[in-house]
Amino acid sequence: MISPEQIDQARAISIVELLAARHFKPAGKSGRELVYHSPLRTDRNPSFYVDPTKNVFRDSAHTEHRGDAIRLVM
């Protein structure tokens, strides 16, 4: 059984560091968000946004692709 503390620890993993470990680098910045090419699909234009302060992501091309580090790994 996974404890609530373990879930909180998993959510606290930096999405920016998680992407960097998989060789994804920001293609730019939009306000406070970092913009990447999507790690979830092939795209020509960067459309994957990460808010490092809130540690959440969103993919502007697929509205169902958004969430925290747990959701990204899933």
Side-chain angles (χ1 to χ4, degrees):
M1 182 105 183
I2 299 174
S3 71
E5 293 80 20
Q6 290 171 315
I7 293 171
D8 289 341
Q9 287 174 344
R11 280 196 178 111
I13 294 169
S14 167
I15 293 173
V16 171
E17 290 179 20
L18 183 64
L19 291 170
R22 284 155 180 78
H23 307 287
F24 285 94
K25 296 180 180 167
K29 195 169 184 183
S30 176
R32 67 179 183 202
E33 294 180 309
L34 298 174
V35 186
Y36 293 81
H37 287 279
S38 179
L40 306 174
R41 60 185 173 75
T42 302
D43 65 355
R44 287 184 173 201
N45 300 311
S47 61
F48 188 87
Y49 295 82
V50 176
D51 182 333
T53 304
K54 294 181 180 179
N55 200 34
V56 294
F57 75 92
R58 65 182 174 86
D59 188 331
S60 65
H62 293 283
T63 57
E64 69 275 6
H65 293 168
R66 61 177 51 234
D68 57 21
I70 295 172
R71 176 86 171 142
L72 179 58
V73 172
M74 289 173 43

